[in-house]
Amino acid sequence: MTKSLKLAGGIALALSLLSQPLIAQTRPAAAPAAAPAAPRAAIVPGVGVADLQAVVFGSNAYRDAMQNRAVQYKQVIDAAQARARQIDAELTRLITQFNADRTAKKPEATLQAEVNQIQKVRALGEEEIKRMMAPVDLSEAYIIEQITDKLPQAVQNVLNKRGISLLLTPGSVYFANPAYDVSAAIVQELNILVPGVQVKPPQGWVPREVREQQAQQQQRAPQAAPAAGQPAPAPRPAGPQPEGR
């Protein structure tokens, strides 16, 4: 529901922006005097800009894998969508009842209990849908990791071919001439390095972030206790010890 509202808002905004030039063209105003052409900005060699997240999502491997994922996980997705509709219907019924009771001036305790129930159903529903969609989410993480493993090489290939020594992200610059954007070139290199990826992760696979966290926890963990059935080393007696011969 939220996504639909956001999408509708985005479409409305896009239509309003697209209509602006048409409205401007219908105004019968005299054309202003032509301003002198601004000098063309020089392109500094050795500098590039790239949106690496957009590069991954724009690669052929990602798009093909996402299409395959929708097919391979169709039963899971359909089941989650069906359950989400059931939860949405239950929430609608509870909210309708709450609004009716509030209009009828039901006791505050009754209304609060209904609010608590709505919040509980919503929270449990979100957790349930998240559990159902866990295999699908894990699949996407596996797809992305296979592609990003080759991303540094794709970037380096473009840097070498174009002689770039400074690569920036769009978020780190206020404005950049489109000539600096090398995202499309990196996508082409990525398509060569990663023509395709697997959709289903192997048994027991976890994302890189989880593996790194597990490794850090193991490093911080104290030394393992002696194995079961093996006696612990005897404590050394206090005082000076005899020297070995």
Side-chain angles (χ1 to χ4, degrees):
M1 185 87 55
T2 303
K3 290 183 179 179
S4 299
L5 292 175
K6 288 182 178 179
L7 179 60
I11 293 174
L13 177 60
L15 291 176
S16 66
L17 293 176
L18 289 174
S19 64
Q20 288 177 4
L22 299 178
I23 296 174
Q25 292 175 5
T26 59
R27 295 176 181 172
R40 186 173 183 178
I43 302 300
V44 180
V47 179
V49 179
D51 186 341
L52 298 184
Q53 185 179 34
V55 165
V56 173
F57 294 159
S59 65
N60 292 339
Y62 179 81
R63 290 183 293 183
D64 293 345
M66 294 301 287
Q67 292 178 354
N68 293 335
R69 188 191 70 160
V71 175
Q72 295 189 31
Y73 288 90
K74 186 178 185 303
Q75 292 183 351
V76 176
I77 296 173
D78 290 348
Q81 290 177 342
R83 181 58 183 144
R85 287 192 292 268
Q86 294 175 351
I87 297 171
D88 185 64
E90 176 65 10
L91 285 172
T92 300
R93 184 188 66 80
L94 293 174
I95 293 172
T96 301
Q97 182 63 47
F98 168 77
N99 290 331
D101 290 345
R102 183 175 57 178
T103 302
K105 307 296 183 182
K106 290 292 184 69
E108 185 66 25
T110 300
L111 297 178
Q112 185 59 50
E114 291 177 350
V115 170
N116 294 340
Q117 179 65 14
I118 292 172
Q119 294 175 343
K120 179 180 179 181
V121 171
R122 178 182 291 117
L124 293 177
E126 291 176 352
E127 292 178 1
E128 182 179 358
I129 299 302
K130 185 178 180 179
R131 287 194 302 270
M132 296 178 69
M133 290 293 292
V136 184
D137 295 337
L138 189 66
S139 170
E140 183 174 8
Y142 184 54
I143 291 169
I144 293 175
E145 184 169 313
Q146 293 174 85
I147 299 173
T148 54
D149 283 344
K150 297 296 184 180
L151 182 59
Q153 184 61 53
V155 172
Q156 190 61 52
N157 290 349
V158 173
L159 298 184
N160 294 340
K161 291 179 180 179
R162 301 203 175 192
I164 295 175
S165 58
L166 177 62
L167 183 64
L168 304 173
T169 61
S172 62
V173 294
Y174 179 74
F175 171 77
N177 190 303
Y180 288 107
D181 193 347
V182 295
S183 299
I186 299 177
V187 170
Q188 293 177 357
E189 292 290 336
L190 201 56
N191 290 340
I192 297 174
L193 294 173
V194 193
V197 295
Q198 298 296 320
V199 174
K200 288 189 176 182
Q203 185 70 26
W205 182 88
V206 294
R208 180 183 292 109
E209 295 80 1
V210 178
R211 299 197 302 269
E212 292 175 351
Q213 292 176 2
Q214 292 174 346
Q216 292 175 359
Q217 291 174 357
Q218 291 177 357
Q219 291 176 357
R220 292 194 298 264
Q223 294 183 352
Q230 295 183 359
R236 300 183 65 179
Q241 302 298 314
E243 296 182 359
R245 298 182 62 181

